[in-house]
Amino acid sequence: MSHDESVRDELGEQVRGGPGEPVPDEPAWSEEEDDRTAETLRWLREKRKGHRRQKGRDIAVYVYSVVLLGAGYGGGYAVYFLRRLRLGADYSDVGAHVQAVLPAFFTLLTAALVLLAARDALWRGPVVVPAPSVGWLLAQPVRRAVVLRPWFWLSAGVSVATALVAAVAAAVVLRVLGLASPGGALLALLPAAVCLPLLAVAAGMAVEHRAGLAHLVRRFSPLAVVVLMLLAGQTAAAASGHRSAVLEQVELWSGPWGWAAQPVVSVTGGHAAGWPAAVVLLVLLTAAGLVQGHRDAALVPTAQLRRRAATAQTVSSVMYSAELRAAKLALMDAAAAGPGAGRVRGVRLPRPRSKYLVVVWRDLLSLLRTPARVGKALMWLACATAVAALGLQFDGGARFTGLAAALLLGYFAVGVLAEPARLETDDVRRAAWSPFRFRTLMLQHAVVPAVLGALLALLAAVPFAVAGAPWALVLMPVCAVPFAAAAVFSASRGPARTDMLFSGVSSPMGDPGVFRFFAWYAAGPLVSVGGLGIVLHGVLRRAVPDAGAVGVAAGAAAVLTTGLLFFAARSADRLVRPGS
């Protein structure tokens, strides 16, 4: 019997009066006569004293490791910047760009924070009680508010502490760039560092407590992502000198994301004359959100707390084993259990007459029934197109960096379309329906991502062709093919090889096995993005790429595709025959 089970049985006997009695999900009891809150929590603290002491030591070691890594890896950069500052280094050019992008970028950053908090609340939320506490503590005659509200305030405190550290770092950056004094920058950042995290926690609490609001978050998240992409485009335009004063003022007054930005904009020399009123509005809204969140924290149903505790426990355990796919599956299962989630459209396609088209037919049907995947692919492709267009404006290393970033985003776009291949390898027993060998089945899963990705890339290449770069009509669709092969290879990779993390070799930067594990884990995108990046960088160095250069790029894409599919087939064989 585990420690938690023994504690649960002993506590049940002491509070209820005897073992073996059923524990209802929502017990009804008289608060005046049966309240055992103080007695139960006092007994529980005594029983878990050793466990809490050990947990405190673990947290102390974790904090020490983070501080040591930060001082070791970040201390050199900090000393470098401070020395440059003492020697009179001029960062005025960078400061001018930061001042130009600050209104749009700050709005983008804070709006993304609110969206992340709302999405996080769909499966976790500010109130996540450990599974043992949910399983038996809430079933005792204790006041739910006393058990649940401390978790809400713990989430709020951790969020504010993290934001304050970020605010100190941002104040140092503003001082180095010559935009504000350290004290003035920190005071201007304090409203955002304190109020925005608390608002995000309050918003997450509202989503966690209200099923209708959770449904709205799921429904309008794609629209919110589109707005964030537009803000990112505005930030890039402002960095290149194309600012819109009217649009920036609308954003600064559109909500708490803009109100928090106004003191920072004002202290750095921007136009925000009404920032005191904006700070007052921000503080009032934060206070109202905390009051409502404090009330909602005690009203989360026990069944929902059980599901969230199980999901959080699964995600944390698989993250320690570097199984990111398992964490994603746990989040998908949690999202499917929510209101309005997991809906599949009843779309039908004519059945193919040839067995060689069955896999393609199933993959197309899967995409049609889950159009959100196509939407995600379009979102990543739009980001890749924007980054590519921005990168082409530079030369040298900046152009190669922009090209690599665009290719990586393109890989994400094609990888979203390869979800059926990942579902196939989550449990290889599902492949029993297939008339093909498993390796052949996995290779056929690359057809739909390659074809559909090439068609989407062809549409994204049209603006480049209109602007005088017709080579984009060939190069951009060609990149989708090795990306599809890389996605299938990554899906066939198998369980995480955590043994690679430890090579037994010591170095000043730690065990180099970490880099070996990362190279194995991300081999598909590293090979495809790296290979295409090197080839395309050579092609784009020419003023006008000719047919020969484009042909070389297409040939390199074909070689990458062949190699990745070969290794994908070998990996698929190992999944069904581990000894092969």
Side-chain angles (χ1 to χ4, degrees):
M1 179 180 294
S2 66
H3 172 72
D4 288 332
E5 290 175 346
S6 62
V7 172
R8 177 190 62 191
D9 293 341
E10 186 175 352
L11 179 60
E13 294 177 12
Q14 290 192 17
V15 176
R16 293 192 301 259
E21 298 182 13
V23 180
D25 181 62
E26 297 287 351
W29 51 278
S30 172
E31 185 171 342
E32 293 79 7
E33 300 177 0
D34 302 327
D35 185 7
R36 297 293 186 270
T37 303
E39 174 186 350
T40 303
L41 295 180
R42 183 171 58 252
W43 182 90
L44 186 61
R45 283 193 296 269
E46 182 66 25
K47 288 294 181 181
R48 300 193 68 186
K49 185 181 298 182
H51 172 72
R52 295 178 65 182
R53 190 180 299 114
Q54 180 61 42
K55 188 175 181 181
R57 286 195 291 263
D58 294 341
I59 294 176
V61 171
Y62 175 76
V63 173
Y64 169 77
S65 302
V66 172
V67 172
L68 185 63
L69 287 174
Y73 289 99
Y77 294 102
V79 171
Y80 172 77
F81 277 114
L82 291 176
R83 181 176 296 177
R84 292 289 301 271
L85 182 63
R86 184 172 60 85
L87 295 176
D90 185 13
Y91 294 100
S92 58
D93 293 339
V94 180
H97 286 292
V98 171
Q99 187 181 31
V101 304
L102 194 56
F105 178 73
F106 207 103
T107 305
L108 168 66
L109 192 63
T110 52
L113 173 67
V114 175
L115 178 61
L116 288 176
R119 294 292 303 181
D120 174 79
L122 295 178
W123 68 274
R124 194 174 63 94
V127 177
V128 182
V129 185
S133 297
V134 178
W136 49 268
L137 179 58
L138 292 180
Q140 311 305 324
V142 296
R143 295 190 300 274
R144 295 172 58 85
V146 177
V147 177
L148 299 182
R149 281 172 178 166
W151 293 98
F152 170 76
W153 290 109
L154 176 63
S155 298
V158 171
S159 300
V160 171
T162 305
L164 287 175
V165 174
V168 172
V172 173
V173 171
L174 292 179
R175 170 64 183 91
V176 170
L177 296 178
L179 295 176
S181 63
L186 186 59
L187 288 176
L189 287 163
L190 275 181
V194 174
C195 295
L196 288 179
L198 295 178
L199 275 176
V201 172
M205 189 68 254
V207 174
E208 183 178 0
H209 171 56
R210 293 172 174 80
L213 189 57
H215 174 62
L216 291 178
V217 170
R218 288 192 178 93
R219 184 174 183 179
F220 290 103
S221 288
L223 180 60
V225 171
V226 172
V227 173
L228 292 179
M229 292 174 63
L230 293 176
L231 285 172
Q234 181 189 354
T235 303
S240 60
H242 303 284
R243 300 181 61 182
S244 173
V246 175
L247 189 58
E248 289 178 357
Q249 289 301 312
V250 170
E251 292 165 355
L252 291 178
W253 288 102
S254 60
W257 38 80
W259 302 341
Q262 291 196 33
V264 186
V265 173
S266 177
V267 79
T268 54
H271 178 65
W275 68 266
V279 172
V280 171
L281 290 175
L282 182 64
V283 172
L284 292 177
L285 183 62
T286 303
L290 288 178
V291 170
Q292 189 60 48
H294 180 78
R295 295 174 180 173
D296 292 342
L299 303 177
V300 184
T302 304
Q304 185 173 334
L305 289 173
R306 286 197 187 99
R307 290 196 300 268
R308 292 171 179 269
T311 302
Q313 187 175 8
T314 302
V315 171
S316 61
S317 61
V318 298
M319 290 297 288
Y320 281 114
S321 60
E323 289 288 357
L324 302 182
R325 176 64 182 175
K328 182 179 179 180
L329 290 175
L331 296 182
M332 292 171 61
D333 292 340
R343 296 180 179 178
V344 179
R345 297 180 180 272
V347 180
R348 294 182 179 272
L349 286 176
R351 294 183 178 180
R353 296 184 179 182
S354 173
K355 69 175 185 179
Y356 297 101
L357 297 176
V358 171
V359 179
V360 175
W361 172 74
R362 284 170 60 93
D363 290 351
L364 284 175
L365 199 60
S366 175
L367 288 177
L368 290 176
R369 290 183 174 179
T370 54
R373 293 178 190 168
V374 181
K376 290 179 181 179
L378 288 173
M379 180 194 72
W380 286 117
L381 184 60
C383 294
T385 305
V387 172
L390 183 63
L392 289 176
Q393 299 179 7
F394 300 98
D395 296 321
R399 170 175 282 197
F400 181 77
T401 302
L403 176 63
L407 289 173
L408 183 61
L409 294 172
Y411 169 80
F412 291 155
V414 178
V416 170
L417 303 176
E419 183 66 18
R422 299 187 185 93
L423 294 175
E424 209 78 69
T425 55
D426 289 336
D427 187 352
V428 295
R429 293 173 296 181
R430 295 175 181 172
W433 66 269
S434 172
F436 307 103
R437 297 170 60 188
F438 190 72
R439 62 184 298 169
T440 307
L441 173 64
M442 292 304 298
L443 294 180
Q444 292 185 20
H445 276 303
V447 175
V448 171
V451 175
L452 185 55
L455 292 177
L456 294 177
L458 183 62
L459 293 177
V462 172
F464 291 92
V466 173
W471 46 264
L473 296 174
V474 177
L475 292 183
M476 291 181 68
V478 160
C479 293
V481 182
F483 287 160
V488 173
F489 170 68
S490 298
S492 307
R493 181 183 52 232
R497 294 279 306 278
T498 52
D499 57 294
M500 293 184 176
L501 290 170
F502 310 101
S503 64
V505 179
S506 299
S507 70
M509 299 185 65
D511 195 325
V514 175
F515 302 100
R516 183 177 61 167
F517 173 79
F518 176 76
W520 172 85
Y521 198 92
L526 280 178
V527 171
S528 58
V529 172
L532 289 174
I534 294 173
V535 174
L536 292 180
H537 181 63
V539 172
L540 297 180
R541 289 177 64 181
R542 305 186 181 188
V544 180
D546 54 12
V550 174
V552 170
V559 171
L560 286 172
T561 302
T562 304
L564 288 168
L565 289 179
F566 172 76
F567 286 104
R570 290 188 58 185
S571 300
D573 285 339
R574 292 193 184 98
L575 289 179
V576 293
R577 294 193 299 273
S580 61

